[in-house]
Amino acid sequence: MDQPRNRVFSGVQPTGNLHLGNYLGAIRHFVALQDTHECIYCVVDLHAITVWQDPKELAANTREVTAAYIAAGVDPKKHIIFNQSKVAAHAELAWILDCTARIGWLNRMTQFKEKAGKDREQASVGLYNYPVLMAADILAYRSTHVPVGEDQKQHLELARDVAKKFNNDYAEFGGQDFFPLPEPLILGAATRVMSLRDGTKKMSKSDPSDNSRITFNDSPEAIAQKIRKAQTDPDPLPETVEGLEGRAGADNLVGIYAALSGQTKDEVLAEFRGAQFSVFKPRLADLAVDKLSPMMAEMQRMLHNDQGYLDQVLADGAARARVIADPIVARVKELVGFI
Ligand code: AMP
Ligand code: TRP
């Protein structure tokens, strides 16, 4: 079985409120990797239901993420876009890897602790197992590279540990080096976009305040207004990145500007040092509207007029994903000793 050297896998949960953090931390890199890598982009609906999802909204949100991938520039003909529940290999491999991963490893996962909150007894078993399913997503394709935002770093480390232990456990039965150790790609100036209302909190789909995030449903006016209202401080912009320390809101907006303009934060500050936010924010708003609105409009167009096309992309992508994953999972079963 050939081991690809440049296979990218990543996923986004269809949980609604797709936002600027998802775009700058992940989706825009999905687009950029297409020229050099073989890419597989998943809408991870199995992950979504680790917390309750209304079935009608889950379906709509699955199409929303699909449309966002395509509107951002992922080519579903050259590469693969599909939803996770359509390819049985994910759930099947997850079970086997559940038996490889150790409880102690999962107990260290900070995202579980955050999402489960105080009442951990009431969290779903799936939420606890979430990182093992994520490892299965990646390893079912023997993927080599995984573009994600900063918050997924720990999960990627777990995926590497699972791959390592599996290879080791089955080494003498022919499993040595079977899974490549997937490399995280955490890229660019905005690997962790923060809330526009509180620069110390991550921009997130579940924040109750819609003003905390720029979403893919925002009109150009809404984008500009959210940026104008973003939390900052009274000081002008500093000369260097060091001067942003302790100024979370300011740091966040400079990072967003840098990511959208393809510059480093230092380059942005070289242009804007000494400027007040009353000057910087309108410039950022113009840039954001310029870069994001056409993509968002195209996404809305597909969602409203081209649902059949989106469903076709997912069905076609799933069929192509199965062709890759099925033989890999079949080989895993052989290694484990299933007959
Ligand atoms: P999720 O919405 O949790 O499925 O995340 C999808 C992708 O977006 C993952 O690669 C995340 O790491 C990334 N992501 C989510 N929130 C942010 C954020 N605030 N800043 C940067 N990347 C993010
Ligand atoms: N856990 C990721 C997130 O919430 C989504 C995800 C699921 C993923 N499976 C993946 C990302 C595999 C990369 C690779 O952001």
Side-chain angles (χ1 to χ4, degrees), residues 8-10 20-37 39 41 144-153 156 183-193 255-256 258-260 262-265:
V8 163
F9 185 97
S10 196
L20 182 64
N22 297 130
Y23 179 65
L24 295 181
I27 298 174
R28 74 185 175 115
H29 303 302
F30 297 3
V31 179
L33 288 161
Q34 293 180 105
D35 289 340
T36 45
H37 293 69
C39 302
Y41 297 126
T144 56
H145 295 86
V146 185
V148 282
E150 175 74 36
D151 61 350
Q152 296 301 310
K153 197 169 172 210
L156 254 294
E183 297 247 3
L185 300 175
I186 299 174
L187 306 167
T191 56
R192 186 176 173 83
V193 178
I256 293 171
L260 287 171
Q263 291 171 290
T264 63
K265 288 203 245 182

Side-chain angles (χ1 to χ4, degrees), residues 25-305:
I27 298 174
R28 74 185 175 115
H29 303 302
F30 297 3
V31 179
L33 288 161
Q34 293 180 105
D35 289 340
T36 45
H37 293 69
E38 173 194 356
C39 302
I40 305 171
Y41 297 126
C42 190
V43 185
V44 289
D45 47 10
L46 299 176
H47 277 104
I49 63 163
T50 56
V51 298
W52 169 253
Q53 302 297 323
D54 177 280
K56 281 212 178 69
E57 281 172 26
L58 181 62
N61 291 335
T62 299
R63 294 192 182 102
E64 183 191 42
V65 175
T66 308
Y69 285 169
I70 300 170
V74 175
D75 180 344
K77 287 217 169 67
K78 286 207 185 100
H79 300 276
I80 294 178
I81 297 176
F82 74 106
N83 57 317
Q84 194 182 21
S85 61
K86 282 221 179 79
V87 178
H90 295 248
E92 248 187 315
L93 182 59
W95 179 260
I96 296 172
L97 298 181
D98 274 337
C99 301
T100 304
R102 305 289 94 179
I103 289 178
W105 303 356
L106 290 184
N107 283 342
R108 288 195 283 276
M109 295 294 113
T110 55
Q111 186 172 295
F112 173 74
K113 292 178 196 167
E114 278 160 27
K115 284 200 184 174
K118 283 202 187 73
D119 197 1
R120 213 175 278 183
E121 302 270 310
Q122 284 306 314
S124 73
V125 176
L127 188 66
Y128 185 71
N129 259 5
Y130 179 115
V132 182
L133 177 60
M134 179 162 161
D137 296 341
I138 298 164
L139 300 177
Y141 302 87
R142 300 172 93 205
S143 315
T144 56
H145 295 86
V146 185
V148 282
E150 175 74 36
D151 61 350
Q152 296 301 310
K153 197 169 172 210
Q154 194 185 35
H155 288 161
L156 254 294
E157 279 158 17
L158 184 109
R160 291 170 65 92
D161 288 343
V162 169
K164 237 183 264 172
K165 185 170 189 308
F166 183 93
N167 291 349
N168 198 43
D169 287 351
Y170 294 99
E172 57 178 297
F173 308 97
Q176 196 171 13
D177 300 325
F178 181 70
F179 288 126
L181 304 186
E183 297 247 3
L185 300 175
I186 299 174
L187 306 167
T191 56
R192 186 176 173 83
V193 178
M194 308 307 277
S195 158
L196 298 178
R197 304 306 300 156
D198 178 352
T200 65
K201 286 197 325 199
K202 194 177 67 171
M203 183 177 284
S204 110
K205 291 169 173 169
S206 56
D207 193 311
S209 164
D210 192 52
N211 282 328
S212 70
R213 58 184 165 254
I214 291 171
T215 74
F216 277 66
N217 300 317
D218 282 339
S219 63
E221 296 72 33
I223 297 174
Q225 204 197 21
K226 286 176 181 180
I227 290 173
R228 272 200 307 275
K229 281 194 180 162
Q231 174 246 347
T232 44
D233 55 44
D235 293 337
L237 283 167
E239 299 203 350
T240 61
V241 171
E242 290 74 52
L244 289 170
E245 249 167 67
R247 300 179 64 189
D251 188 18
N252 190 35
L253 293 192
V254 172
I256 293 171
Y257 193 104
L260 287 171
S261 65
Q263 291 171 290
T264 63
K265 288 203 245 182
D266 270 315
E267 284 166 347
V268 175
L269 290 175
E271 189 180 341
F272 286 100
R273 64 181 163 205
Q276 296 292 337
F277 281 103
S278 56
V279 173
F280 181 68
K281 280 179 171 176
R283 292 282 299 276
L284 175 58
D286 286 348
L287 177 66
V289 168
D290 249 31
K291 294 277 175 188
L292 303 173
S293 294
M295 169 177 80
M296 292 172 177
E298 174 59 9
M299 181 186 97
Q300 296 303 336
R301 190 197 63 74
M302 279 189 264
L303 284 175
H304 291 112
N305 305 332

